[in-house]
Amino acid sequence: MSNWEAVIGLEVHVQLATKSKIFSGASTLFGSPPNTQACNIDLGMPGVLPVLNKEVLKMAIKFGLAINASINSPTQFARKNYFYPDLPKGYQISQLDSPIVEGGFLQIEIGGEKPKKIGITRAHLEEDAGKSLHEEFENHSGIDLNRAGTPLLEIVSEPELNTSEEAVSYLKKIHSIIRHLEISDGNMAEGSMRCDANVSVRKKGSDELGTRTETKNVNSFRFVEKAINHEIKRQIKILESGEKITQETRLYDSQLDETRSMRSKEFANDYRYFPEPDLLPVVLDKKFIESVKSEMPELSEEKKNRLITEYKLSDYDADVLSVDPNLSKYFEEVVTNSSNPKLAANWVMGDLSAFLNKDNLSILDTRVDATNLGTLLARIEDSTISGKIAKEVFEEMWLSEKGPDQIIEEKGLKQVTDSTEIEKVIDQVFEENPTQLQQYKSGKEKLFGFFVGQVMKVSRGKANPEQVNKLLKKRLEE
Ligand code: ADP
Ligand code: MG
């Protein structure tokens, strides 16, 4: 494989989170009974006229600004003609020339390597088609047109990704951007974000592009990675045996972990694109763009930099926390209730994330809210409990959804800071371990750690570790 280099370009379809469709007033709600949300406009009945939903313009502009792109004005809609049962009107309204967003980029970071810029050729608006249902009816297919007319933003990257890992990293960046901007829920399982992967391979060092295949509708980060890896291997094998790659559209089968040919590649002129006669070109003036800009929330890149300067977090911590807007929001709430950002970051990324993963919950469904976690951390800071006991309290908080103070009280977990009490435990430990005491006194100072451990154990973790150290030192020197 080492003589070959893969080249990948992604086409990502993002479903925009508008309440109504791109050219009609029908609802976009997911999961309604078939064909209850497709009106005459979505079906393209004769005589109806599409009316552009202003919200989709705002959403596309936000995306364009977030990826440093130009916003085209006027931007133009076009008809893309093809026949398919889930497209009753025989054409899709999309964009070809003057797409709303053109010429941007984003940055991906892999491991400790320096960031890599990935160009984004364009992002255009279009309407989604309906869905064919093959499983519900024997020997028949059903057509559900609820999805017809749902607004999509198709984001097309330059062929500048070279590994499946880079492709996934790029996708995660897009995912993070659209969720920060709140222009899509990005739910891949429900199809709100879908990815077509264009893959080719070439000899290392060559700057010509090889013949590519396009693998359609890969609907999870993991499948994107697998589908691309499979396709790279398949193409290398073909080229090494002296044969040629056929330019075609393929389908990824996640059960067999392979891609299969679906149809030969179609080209733009197959679609007979022409300017949509029912929609005028849309002029987006500076004032409108400025007003959209002023509504934009903080993006993950900005958020990351702010977390570093405001909370003195490491680059890594800030990176992890800024990817998911809900996670960073939670983190910032924890900090307002405690005071040690580094400790808060460790807990959010460590214990909390582990519990969320274990129960397969998102941060929005956490069983320990930010106020309670903040209070727990404040109890570590003010020495009410040790970090170790805090883990025990956290687990109980997770299970019972009680507050930390109540649990510390009920379970008697308050740290012992009373030195006479700790002295008593030290006495007991010395009594129970006379050999070790003897050895220590005759010079085996390594045993200090052993005594600390014993005192902590006898006190069931409740003795204040700093005080244990101090008092033990004093007693052992006597
Ligand atoms: P089409 O509209 O026919 O799908 P485009 O030229 O618009 O074709 O490209 C679609 C996607 O394919 C883009 O993301 C682009 O980066 C990618 N792409 C184009 N050529 C190649 C290639 N040789 N290898 C890998 N990806 C490619
Ligand atoms: Mg394409």
Side-chain angles (χ1 to χ4, degrees), residues 20-248:
S20 59
K21 301 212 171 150
I22 182 167
F23 301 120
S24 82
S27 167
T28 53
L29 217 63
F30 180 83
S32 309
N35 301 310
T36 54
Q37 289 175 180
C39 70
N40 288 339
I41 291 174
D42 307 324
L43 302 181
M45 288 295 177
V48 298
L49 288 172
V51 178
L52 181 60
N53 183 339
K54 192 172 178 182
E55 282 306 308
V56 306
L57 296 173
K58 291 187 183 169
M59 291 178 172
I61 291 171
K62 283 182 186 172
F63 180 77
L65 296 175
I67 59 154
N68 320 290
S70 315
I71 308 298
N72 277 327
S73 175
T75 181
Q76 168 81 54
F77 287 91
R79 274 192 194 180
K80 180 179 179 179
N81 299 282
Y82 68 92
F83 173 81
Y84 207 73
D86 64 17
L87 187 75
K89 66 182 196 275
Y91 61 88
Q92 175 194 32
I93 304 179
S94 179
Q95 299 196 283
L96 185 65
D97 298 328
S98 307
I100 186 160
V101 171
E102 199 165 357
F105 67 89
L106 53 72
Q107 292 205 327
I108 56 170
E109 283 128 69
I110 305 247
E113 288 167 39
K114 78 171 202 306
K116 178 173 170 181
K117 241 185 191 175
I118 307 296
I120 294 178
T121 322
R122 54 188 277 143
H124 61 257
L125 288 164
E126 60 186 26
E127 58 180 335
D128 208 346
K131 253 186 204 167
S132 302
L133 309 171
H134 303 297
E135 267 112 52
E136 282 82 347
F137 314 96
E138 208 176 328
N139 297 326
H140 292 76
S141 288
I143 304 288
D144 176 6
L145 292 166
N146 282 351
R147 204 178 63 181
T150 300
L152 297 178
L153 186 66
E154 177 173 341
I155 304 159
V156 182
S157 86
E158 291 289 312
E160 293 175 347
L161 300 154
N162 295 111
T163 62
S164 60
E165 197 184 6
E166 285 184 5
V168 171
S169 174
Y170 168 86
L171 269 185
K172 287 190 172 163
K173 260 280 149 64
I174 298 271
H175 193 246
S176 168
I177 292 172
I178 60 173
R179 295 212 308 159
H180 271 88
L181 294 174
E182 296 177 359
I183 62 174
S184 172
D185 62 22
N187 187 329
M188 290 183 89
E190 286 180 4
S192 310
M193 179 164 144
R194 314 193 283 269
C195 173
D196 302 340
N198 294 270
V199 177
S200 65
V201 296
R202 64 182 172 198
K203 277 268 161 60
K204 256 196 190 141
S206 157
D207 50 16
E208 263 170 62
L209 289 174
T211 305
R212 72 176 141 138
T213 62
E214 176 173 359
T215 302
K216 283 275 180 203
N217 276 333
V218 205
N219 59 4
S220 79
F221 293 124
R222 202 165 60 89
F223 289 162
V224 167
E225 184 179 346
K226 290 184 141 199
I228 290 175
N229 283 338
H230 175 273
E231 196 49 27
I232 294 173
K233 271 198 209 128
R234 191 187 68 88
Q235 291 187 15
I236 291 175
K237 211 166 137 193
I238 292 174
L239 293 173
E240 286 194 332
S241 71
E243 283 168 68
K244 284 206 170 99
I245 306 295
T246 321
Q247 184 158 348
E248 63 185 356

Side-chain angles (χ1 to χ4, degrees), residues 9 32 52 56 82 95 111 140-141 188 196 224 252 264 305 319-320 337 339 341 355 395 402 404 411-412 427 476:
S32 309
L52 181 60
V56 306
Y82 68 92
Q95 299 196 283
H140 292 76
S141 288
M188 290 183 89
D196 302 340
V224 167
Y252 177 66
S264 65
N305 292 332
D319 206 32
V320 175
N337 288 292
S339 63
F355 275 77
E395 183 164 11
K402 285 182 193 165
K411 298 203 146 197
D427 286 337
L476 285 166

Side-chain angles (χ1 to χ4, degrees), residues 252-391:
Y252 177 66
D253 182 330
S254 58
Q255 243 142 38
L256 297 175
D257 186 24
E258 62 174 35
T259 62
R260 274 200 301 276
S261 180
M262 213 164 101
R263 57 173 184 256
S264 65
K265 170 83 190 139
E266 59 292 293
F267 296 90
N269 57 6
D270 296 336
Y271 290 116
R272 302 274 171 221
Y273 275 99
F274 62 83
E276 169 59 58
D278 289 342
L279 290 163
L280 291 167
V282 183
V283 176
L284 300 162
D285 61 31
K286 268 214 176 94
K287 229 174 94 196
F288 181 64
I289 295 175
E290 280 307 313
S291 80
V292 173
K293 196 173 191 174
S294 69
E295 286 171 16
M296 278 170 68
E298 185 181 40
L299 288 169
S300 60
E301 207 80 4
E302 297 165 317
K303 181 163 287 168
K304 179 181 164 183
N305 292 332
R306 187 172 59 78
L307 294 181
I308 291 173
T309 46
E310 200 171 321
Y311 300 108
K312 309 272 175 299
L313 293 186
S314 70
D315 195 79
Y316 176 82
D317 291 358
D319 206 32
V320 175
L321 290 172
S322 61
V323 169
D324 178 348
N326 296 318
L327 194 68
S328 47
K329 184 163 164 243
Y330 182 98
F331 162 77
E332 295 201 79
E333 272 173 46
V334 173
V335 177
T336 57
N337 288 292
S338 57
S339 63
N340 182 337
K342 177 66 194 155
L343 187 66
N346 286 347
W347 273 79
V348 171
M349 291 160 50
D351 297 75
L352 177 76
S353 295
F355 275 77
L356 289 171
N357 282 343
K358 188 167 60 79
D359 289 356
N360 216 350
L361 293 176
S362 97
I363 186 72
L364 295 174
D365 305 313
T366 177
R367 297 172 62 86
V368 171
D369 66 28
T371 316
N372 275 339
L373 180 55
T375 309
L376 177 69
L377 302 190
R379 294 298 161 266
I380 301 177
E381 289 280 286
D382 66 15
S383 298
T384 308
I385 54 172
S386 67
K388 203 165 162 213
I389 292 288
K391 289 182 187 283

